[in-house]
Amino acid sequence: MAVQPEPETSQTLPASMRAMVLDWPGEPLKYKTVPVPEPAPGQVLIKVSACGVCRTDLHILDGELDKPKLPLIMGHEIVGTVVSTGPNVTMVKKGDIVGVPWLGYTCGRCSYCLKGKENLCENAAFTGYTLDGGYAEYTVADERYCFKLSGEVTPATAPLLCAGLIGYRSYSMIGEHVEKLGIYGFGAAAHILIQVAVFEGKKVYAFTRKGDVEAQAFARSLGAVWAGDSSQPAPQPLDAAIIFAPVGALVPKALQDVDKGGVVVCGGIHMSDIPAFPYRILWEERVLRSVANLTRGDGARFLPLAAQVPVQTEVQLYPLLQANEALEDLRQGRVRGAAVLVP
Ligand SMILES: [Zn+2]
Ligand SMILES: [Zn+2]
């Protein structure tokens, strides 16, 4: 199942491709034949071998994120092979196997970029949201935001590109001296991150939807020292917590679970409203923070670490045509690990 370098030459590239297209939020994706995109200066054309389905895609589909490109090809956990390059491409060459993440472009000039916070860039563009992404046979990407992948690359690599990266960025925000780490919501990001955290000697407490004994067993199989319903209190005070479930009510819950000085990180791009809570559960220097997007530096740190652990993702594969089914399975919590589309 490994992704092989493409022997294909640009002469044999087709003019059209199949893609799952979002015409309007709230409507299912439509299977369409569209032109294969032309790489602009600095861009490469990638033959997609797999593309992960992320919870963010559900938020775009549901119209919960502002101003998507429309019509849009979603998908920001892309692995594939470069089959042609546009003008002025210098770092990536034909035949390279690359990963394309959510961060698709930054300006390099705004105050955030100049401070090294390109994840907060004022003029950023995002793969599968404001740029077309990987729910298609081909996609183009700016070479500067592609990660070159080595070793064995398979469809199971795709979830590392967002679930892995955003999970890792969240993890990098939990502070020093964390021994007991709570993870709220045990989906794609959590199943990757727990492997990194256990590798680094942390004790992981996994909180799932009420009664989801399957997810709890899955968490234990990946090394969680405790797994239970998110309605249950933590069995002992935690040093830090990461919330991946898009459920605002988990914020005061996690604040109550963490010890004095503990950090609660919200890892998602969208969350339901956070209910009011008494100041005393934030007091004693507990910290509440969010994580937005990623930097290329996160990828440079995380991808080698994932190989070292080594992180094994669990994926449910779907043909491209079944993107709507994959999204619905994700919505209903029927995906163990991560859903991945294979064109
Ligand atoms: Zn994502
Ligand atoms: Zn910028």
PDB file of all heavy atoms in Angstrom, residues 4 30 50 60 84 94 111 147 154 170-171 173 192 207 213 226 243 252 257 289 300 328:
ATOM      1  N   GLN A   4       4.112   5.000  -4.200  1.00  0.00           N
ATOM      2  CA  GLN A   4       5.294   4.877  -5.047  1.00  0.00           C
ATOM      3  C   GLN A   4       5.504   6.164  -5.838  1.00  0.00           C
ATOM      4  O   GLN A   4       4.538   6.807  -6.244  1.00  0.00           O
ATOM      5  CB  GLN A   4       5.093   3.725  -6.050  1.00  0.00           C
ATOM      6  CG  GLN A   4       4.958   2.359  -5.415  1.00  0.00           C
ATOM      7  CD  GLN A   4       6.184   1.947  -4.619  1.00  0.00           C
ATOM      8  OE1 GLN A   4       7.293   2.371  -4.916  1.00  0.00           O
ATOM      9  NE2 GLN A   4       5.985   1.137  -3.597  1.00  0.00           N
ATOM     10  N   LYS A  30     -20.681  17.028  -4.073  1.00  0.00           N
ATOM     11  CA  LYS A  30     -21.083  16.425  -5.351  1.00  0.00           C
ATOM     12  C   LYS A  30     -19.859  15.874  -6.077  1.00  0.00           C
ATOM     13  O   LYS A  30     -18.811  16.519  -6.128  1.00  0.00           O
ATOM     14  CB  LYS A  30     -21.784  17.461  -6.227  1.00  0.00           C
ATOM     15  CG  LYS A  30     -23.099  17.937  -5.627  1.00  0.00           C
ATOM     16  CD  LYS A  30     -23.935  18.677  -6.668  1.00  0.00           C
ATOM     17  CE  LYS A  30     -25.158  19.302  -6.007  1.00  0.00           C
ATOM     18  NZ  LYS A  30     -24.857  20.651  -5.463  1.00  0.00           N
ATOM     19  N   ALA A  50      -3.851   9.900  -0.999  1.00  0.00           N
ATOM     20  CA  ALA A  50      -4.805   9.769   0.104  1.00  0.00           C
ATOM     21  C   ALA A  50      -5.039  11.141   0.691  1.00  0.00           C
ATOM     22  O   ALA A  50      -4.167  12.010   0.645  1.00  0.00           O
ATOM     23  CB  ALA A  50      -4.251   8.830   1.179  1.00  0.00           C
ATOM     24  N   ILE A  60     -16.732  23.192   8.040  1.00  0.00           N
ATOM     25  CA  ILE A  60     -16.867  23.922   6.761  1.00  0.00           C
ATOM     26  C   ILE A  60     -18.172  23.510   6.087  1.00  0.00           C
ATOM     27  O   ILE A  60     -18.968  24.348   5.637  1.00  0.00           O
ATOM     28  CB  ILE A  60     -15.655  23.633   5.837  1.00  0.00           C
ATOM     29  CG1 ILE A  60     -14.353  24.141   6.472  1.00  0.00           C
ATOM     30  CG2 ILE A  60     -15.866  24.270   4.458  1.00  0.00           C
ATOM     31  CD1 ILE A  60     -13.094  23.669   5.759  1.00  0.00           C
ATOM     32  N   SER A  84       4.127  17.387 -11.552  1.00  0.00           N
ATOM     33  CA  SER A  84       4.712  18.448 -12.368  1.00  0.00           C
ATOM     34  C   SER A  84       4.920  19.671 -11.491  1.00  0.00           C
ATOM     35  O   SER A  84       4.352  19.773 -10.395  1.00  0.00           O
ATOM     36  CB  SER A  84       3.842  18.774 -13.588  1.00  0.00           C
ATOM     37  OG  SER A  84       2.746  19.573 -13.234  1.00  0.00           O
ATOM     38  N   LYS A  94       9.719  16.844  -9.332  1.00  0.00           N
ATOM     39  CA  LYS A  94       8.835  15.789  -9.813  1.00  0.00           C
ATOM     40  C   LYS A  94       9.259  14.453  -9.208  1.00  0.00           C
ATOM     41  O   LYS A  94      10.447  14.148  -9.146  1.00  0.00           O
ATOM     42  CB  LYS A  94       8.937  15.738 -11.342  1.00  0.00           C
ATOM     43  CG  LYS A  94       7.720  15.172 -12.003  1.00  0.00           C
ATOM     44  CD  LYS A  94       7.753  15.498 -13.481  1.00  0.00           C
ATOM     45  CE  LYS A  94       7.833  14.207 -14.286  1.00  0.00           C
ATOM     46  NZ  LYS A  94       7.847  14.470 -15.726  1.00  0.00           N
ATOM     47  N   SER A 111       2.624  41.566  10.819  1.00  0.00           N
ATOM     48  CA  SER A 111       3.297  41.604  12.122  1.00  0.00           C
ATOM     49  C   SER A 111       3.407  40.202  12.728  1.00  0.00           C
ATOM     50  O   SER A 111       4.369  39.891  13.419  1.00  0.00           O
ATOM     51  CB  SER A 111       2.559  42.548  13.070  1.00  0.00           C
ATOM     52  OG  SER A 111       1.244  42.094  13.269  1.00  0.00           O
ATOM     53  N   PHE A 147       5.388  19.387   2.981  1.00  0.00           N
ATOM     54  CA  PHE A 147       6.414  18.664   3.735  1.00  0.00           C
ATOM     55  C   PHE A 147       6.873  17.489   2.889  1.00  0.00           C
ATOM     56  O   PHE A 147       6.050  16.684   2.456  1.00  0.00           O
ATOM     57  CB  PHE A 147       5.850  18.134   5.052  1.00  0.00           C
ATOM     58  CG  PHE A 147       5.381  19.210   5.991  1.00  0.00           C
ATOM     59  CD1 PHE A 147       4.043  19.327   6.324  1.00  0.00           C
ATOM     60  CD2 PHE A 147       6.287  20.104   6.548  1.00  0.00           C
ATOM     61  CE1 PHE A 147       3.607  20.318   7.195  1.00  0.00           C
ATOM     62  CE2 PHE A 147       5.859  21.111   7.426  1.00  0.00           C
ATOM     63  CZ  PHE A 147       4.510  21.210   7.746  1.00  0.00           C
ATOM     64  N   THR A 154       2.028   5.774   3.376  1.00  0.00           N
ATOM     65  CA  THR A 154       0.816   5.044   3.002  1.00  0.00           C
ATOM     66  C   THR A 154      -0.378   5.953   3.301  1.00  0.00           C
ATOM     67  O   THR A 154      -0.207   7.035   3.879  1.00  0.00           O
ATOM     68  CB  THR A 154       0.667   3.747   3.837  1.00  0.00           C
ATOM     69  OG1 THR A 154       0.326   4.120   5.171  1.00  0.00           O
ATOM     70  CG2 THR A 154       1.936   2.912   3.840  1.00  0.00           C
ATOM     71  N   SER A 170      -1.041  21.501  20.051  1.00  0.00           N
ATOM     72  CA  SER A 170      -1.774  21.610  21.317  1.00  0.00           C
ATOM     73  C   SER A 170      -0.921  21.062  22.472  1.00  0.00           C
ATOM     74  O   SER A 170      -0.834  21.662  23.548  1.00  0.00           O
ATOM     75  CB  SER A 170      -3.079  20.814  21.242  1.00  0.00           C
ATOM     76  OG  SER A 170      -3.854  21.222  20.139  1.00  0.00           O
ATOM     77  N   TYR A 171      -0.309  19.940  22.213  1.00  0.00           N
ATOM     78  CA  TYR A 171       0.541  19.266  23.201  1.00  0.00           C
ATOM     79  C   TYR A 171       1.729  20.148  23.589  1.00  0.00           C
ATOM     80  O   TYR A 171       2.157  20.169  24.742  1.00  0.00           O
ATOM     81  CB  TYR A 171       1.010  17.958  22.573  1.00  0.00           C
ATOM     82  CG  TYR A 171       1.931  17.085  23.382  1.00  0.00           C
ATOM     83  CD1 TYR A 171       1.481  16.405  24.504  1.00  0.00           C
ATOM     84  CD2 TYR A 171       3.258  16.886  22.978  1.00  0.00           C
ATOM     85  CE1 TYR A 171       2.330  15.567  25.217  1.00  0.00           C
ATOM     86  CE2 TYR A 171       4.100  16.051  23.672  1.00  0.00           C
ATOM     87  CZ  TYR A 171       3.639  15.393  24.791  1.00  0.00           C
ATOM     88  OH  TYR A 171       4.474  14.556  25.488  1.00  0.00           O
ATOM     89  N   MET A 173       1.710  23.140  24.010  1.00  0.00           N
ATOM     90  CA  MET A 173       1.243  24.285  24.806  1.00  0.00           C
ATOM     91  C   MET A 173       0.892  23.894  26.246  1.00  0.00           C
ATOM     92  O   MET A 173       0.376  24.731  26.989  1.00  0.00           O
ATOM     93  CB  MET A 173      -0.029  24.870  24.180  1.00  0.00           C
ATOM     94  CG  MET A 173       0.082  25.247  22.730  1.00  0.00           C
ATOM     95  SD  MET A 173       0.962  26.793  22.560  1.00  0.00           S
ATOM     96  CE  MET A 173       0.973  26.979  20.775  1.00  0.00           C
ATOM     97  N   ILE A 192      -3.433   9.780  17.884  1.00  0.00           N
ATOM     98  CA  ILE A 192      -2.036  10.007  17.497  1.00  0.00           C
ATOM     99  C   ILE A 192      -1.257  10.570  18.682  1.00  0.00           C
ATOM    100  O   ILE A 192      -0.189  10.083  19.047  1.00  0.00           O
ATOM    101  CB  ILE A 192      -1.968  10.977  16.294  1.00  0.00           C
ATOM    102  CG1 ILE A 192      -2.587  10.321  15.054  1.00  0.00           C
ATOM    103  CG2 ILE A 192      -0.526  11.422  16.030  1.00  0.00           C
ATOM    104  CD1 ILE A 192      -2.780  11.267  13.878  1.00  0.00           C
ATOM    105  N   PHE A 207     -10.911  10.923  28.074  1.00  0.00           N
ATOM    106  CA  PHE A 207     -12.332  11.178  28.326  1.00  0.00           C
ATOM    107  C   PHE A 207     -13.080  11.103  26.995  1.00  0.00           C
ATOM    108  O   PHE A 207     -12.686  11.751  26.026  1.00  0.00           O
ATOM    109  CB  PHE A 207     -12.517  12.575  28.938  1.00  0.00           C
ATOM    110  CG  PHE A 207     -11.857  12.732  30.277  1.00  0.00           C
ATOM    111  CD1 PHE A 207     -10.499  13.033  30.365  1.00  0.00           C
ATOM    112  CD2 PHE A 207     -12.572  12.574  31.450  1.00  0.00           C
ATOM    113  CE1 PHE A 207      -9.877  13.185  31.598  1.00  0.00           C
ATOM    114  CE2 PHE A 207     -11.962  12.724  32.691  1.00  0.00           C
ATOM    115  CZ  PHE A 207     -10.608  13.028  32.763  1.00  0.00           C
ATOM    116  N   VAL A 213     -17.768   2.915  25.234  1.00  0.00           N
ATOM    117  CA  VAL A 213     -16.808   1.969  25.818  1.00  0.00           C
ATOM    118  C   VAL A 213     -15.786   1.514  24.775  1.00  0.00           C
ATOM    119  O   VAL A 213     -14.656   1.167  25.119  1.00  0.00           O
ATOM    120  CB  VAL A 213     -17.515   0.746  26.443  1.00  0.00           C
ATOM    121  CG1 VAL A 213     -18.242   1.150  27.721  1.00  0.00           C
ATOM    122  CG2 VAL A 213     -18.499   0.104  25.483  1.00  0.00           C
ATOM    123  N   TRP A 226      -6.090   5.512  32.283  1.00  0.00           N
ATOM    124  CA  TRP A 226      -7.490   5.576  32.697  1.00  0.00           C
ATOM    125  C   TRP A 226      -8.296   6.060  31.501  1.00  0.00           C
ATOM    126  O   TRP A 226      -7.836   6.902  30.726  1.00  0.00           O
ATOM    127  CB  TRP A 226      -7.630   6.571  33.860  1.00  0.00           C
ATOM    128  CG  TRP A 226      -9.033   6.746  34.375  1.00  0.00           C
ATOM    129  CD1 TRP A 226      -9.627   6.062  35.391  1.00  0.00           C
ATOM    130  CD2 TRP A 226     -10.023   7.677  33.895  1.00  0.00           C
ATOM    131  NE1 TRP A 226     -10.924   6.500  35.572  1.00  0.00           N
ATOM    132  CE2 TRP A 226     -11.194   7.497  34.669  1.00  0.00           C
ATOM    133  CE3 TRP A 226     -10.042   8.650  32.878  1.00  0.00           C
ATOM    134  CZ2 TRP A 226     -12.360   8.237  34.470  1.00  0.00           C
ATOM    135  CZ3 TRP A 226     -11.206   9.385  32.679  1.00  0.00           C
ATOM    136  CH2 TRP A 226     -12.348   9.180  33.476  1.00  0.00           C
ATOM    137  N   ILE A 243      -8.472  19.624  24.996  1.00  0.00           N
ATOM    138  CA  ILE A 243      -9.841  19.332  24.563  1.00  0.00           C
ATOM    139  C   ILE A 243      -9.872  19.288  23.038  1.00  0.00           C
ATOM    140  O   ILE A 243      -9.610  20.289  22.377  1.00  0.00           O
ATOM    141  CB  ILE A 243     -10.823  20.409  25.074  1.00  0.00           C
ATOM    142  CG1 ILE A 243     -10.733  20.525  26.599  1.00  0.00           C
ATOM    143  CG2 ILE A 243     -12.245  20.081  24.633  1.00  0.00           C
ATOM    144  CD1 ILE A 243     -11.589  21.648  27.186  1.00  0.00           C
ATOM    145  N   PRO A 252     -15.243  24.207  31.307  1.00  0.00           N
ATOM    146  CA  PRO A 252     -15.280  24.235  32.778  1.00  0.00           C
ATOM    147  C   PRO A 252     -15.011  22.865  33.399  1.00  0.00           C
ATOM    148  O   PRO A 252     -14.389  22.772  34.470  1.00  0.00           O
ATOM    149  CB  PRO A 252     -16.703  24.720  33.101  1.00  0.00           C
ATOM    150  CG  PRO A 252     -17.456  24.721  31.823  1.00  0.00           C
ATOM    151  CD  PRO A 252     -16.478  24.711  30.702  1.00  0.00           C
ATOM    152  N   ASP A 257     -10.920  19.588  36.446  1.00  0.00           N
ATOM    153  CA  ASP A 257     -10.078  18.386  36.534  1.00  0.00           C
ATOM    154  C   ASP A 257      -8.600  18.711  36.729  1.00  0.00           C
ATOM    155  O   ASP A 257      -7.839  17.852  37.184  1.00  0.00           O
ATOM    156  CB  ASP A 257     -10.237  17.526  35.260  1.00  0.00           C
ATOM    157  CG  ASP A 257     -11.554  16.751  35.231  1.00  0.00           C
ATOM    158  OD1 ASP A 257     -12.160  16.562  36.304  1.00  0.00           O
ATOM    159  OD2 ASP A 257     -11.973  16.334  34.125  1.00  0.00           O
ATOM    160  N   ARG A 289      -6.380  28.224  27.149  1.00  0.00           N
ATOM    161  CA  ARG A 289      -5.916  28.809  25.894  1.00  0.00           C
ATOM    162  C   ARG A 289      -6.370  27.986  24.695  1.00  0.00           C
ATOM    163  O   ARG A 289      -6.753  26.830  24.820  1.00  0.00           O
ATOM    164  CB  ARG A 289      -4.404  28.955  25.875  1.00  0.00           C
ATOM    165  CG  ARG A 289      -3.641  27.654  25.871  1.00  0.00           C
ATOM    166  CD  ARG A 289      -2.191  27.894  25.519  1.00  0.00           C
ATOM    167  NE  ARG A 289      -2.103  28.550  24.226  1.00  0.00           N
ATOM    168  CZ  ARG A 289      -1.057  29.249  23.817  1.00  0.00           C
ATOM    169  NH1 ARG A 289      -0.015  29.408  24.595  1.00  0.00           N
ATOM    170  NH2 ARG A 289      -1.034  29.793  22.620  1.00  0.00           N
ATOM    171  N   ALA A 300       8.147  20.478  11.089  1.00  0.00           N
ATOM    172  CA  ALA A 300       9.561  20.088  11.137  1.00  0.00           C
ATOM    173  C   ALA A 300       9.882  19.375  12.444  1.00  0.00           C
ATOM    174  O   ALA A 300      10.755  18.513  12.499  1.00  0.00           O
ATOM    175  CB  ALA A 300      10.446  21.321  10.962  1.00  0.00           C
ATOM    176  N   GLU A 328     -20.164  11.696   7.371  1.00  0.00           N
ATOM    177  CA  GLU A 328     -21.280  11.353   8.255  1.00  0.00           C
ATOM    178  C   GLU A 328     -20.821  10.370   9.346  1.00  0.00           C
ATOM    179  O   GLU A 328     -21.223  10.495  10.499  1.00  0.00           O
ATOM    180  CB  GLU A 328     -22.435  10.773   7.421  1.00  0.00           C
ATOM    181  CG  GLU A 328     -23.788  10.789   8.118  1.00  0.00           C
ATOM    182  CD  GLU A 328     -24.163  12.126   8.778  1.00  0.00           C
ATOM    183  OE1 GLU A 328     -23.806  13.202   8.230  1.00  0.00           O
ATOM    184  OE2 GLU A 328     -24.803  12.097   9.844  1.00  0.00           O
TER     185      GLU A 328
END
